[in-house]
Amino acid sequence: MNRINGYVTQHAEAYEYYIEWEEYNVNQQANTSSVRATAYIKCNSHTSWANNKTTNLWINGVQFSNTLNISLSPGTVVTLVSGNVDNIAHAWDGSCSFEIAASGDLPSGSGYGPLWGEAKATVWLTQIPRQANFSSVQIQNTSLDKFDVYYNMDKTI
């Protein structure tokens, strides 16, 4: 699991806003991957709560949204929003990067809450090897002028 650290606009010493994400279903033949991510708020001190707070999450441009009632007290971790994006196409060379971001309203807590949170980063997925490798090679019918080469590859080319 990877982590993207963010910030809150009030009492950064008391709250952690972050995204955890992971890549899965790396498909070498299709040159694609899938990504799941979740945004969290963690309370280290203070107490605050509020109803109907909305957080948005973007994974490679796909938006996810969740509205919930948030109650924060020391030691509490609240899941704000989650999302999965499947079949993210990698570039011709197997590389892939894009932005994962989250932001949203949080409790003000009469001045003791985090108020707003945001986290974002450009992430790089596993580079999928695109070259083919020889799995066997045979040289036959050799003569001074020519020879025949028979081979097998580990990928369809």
Side-chain angles (χ1 to χ4, degrees):
M1 192 69 70
N2 302 288
R3 182 171 165 147
I4 300 169
N5 291 315
Y7 67 91
V8 295
T9 53
Q10 284 185 165
H11 296 287
E13 79 286 352
Y15 300 97
E16 296 175 44
Y17 190 92
Y18 60 95
I19 301 167
E20 288 186 342
W21 70 276
E22 67 180 340
E23 177 184 23
Y24 64 101
N25 289 342
V26 178
N27 185 328
Q28 189 167 349
Q29 296 299 334
N31 199 35
T32 61
S33 293
S34 299
V35 169
R36 68 174 59 100
T38 304
Y40 299 94
I41 183 73
K42 179 181 180 187
C43 179
N44 297 317
S45 61
H46 299 310
T47 300
S48 63
W49 63 91
N51 294 332
N52 300 316
K53 295 297 180 180
T54 300
T55 299
N56 294 298
L57 171 70
W58 294 268
I59 304 170
N60 194 28
V62 178
Q63 182 176 355
F64 302 89
S65 187
N66 189 30
T67 301
L68 69 161
N69 301 335
I70 300 172
S71 180
L72 298 170
S73 59
T76 303
V77 177
V78 176
T79 301
L80 300 170
V81 62
S82 295
N84 300 317
V85 177
D86 293 323
N87 301 315
I88 299 170
H90 290 233
W92 66 270
D93 64 353
S95 66
C96 185
S97 69
F98 56 84
E99 186 174 84
I100 297 177
S103 63
D105 290 320
L106 298 167
S108 67
S110 299
Y112 290 99
L115 190 60
W116 172 265
E118 186 172 332
K120 67 179 173 178
T122 298
V123 300
W124 285 88
L125 301 186
T126 301
Q127 183 161 1
I128 298 173
R130 301 312 305 153
Q131 75 280 355
N133 299 302
F134 289 98
S135 57
S136 68
V137 177
Q138 294 178 353
I139 298 175
Q140 298 178 356
N141 301 325
T142 60
S143 70
L144 269 171
D145 298 327
K146 68 176 185 124
F147 58 88
D148 295 331
V149 177
Y150 297 91
Y151 61 90
N152 290 314
M153 307 295 279
D154 63 355
K155 295 185 185 87
T156 303
I157 57 170

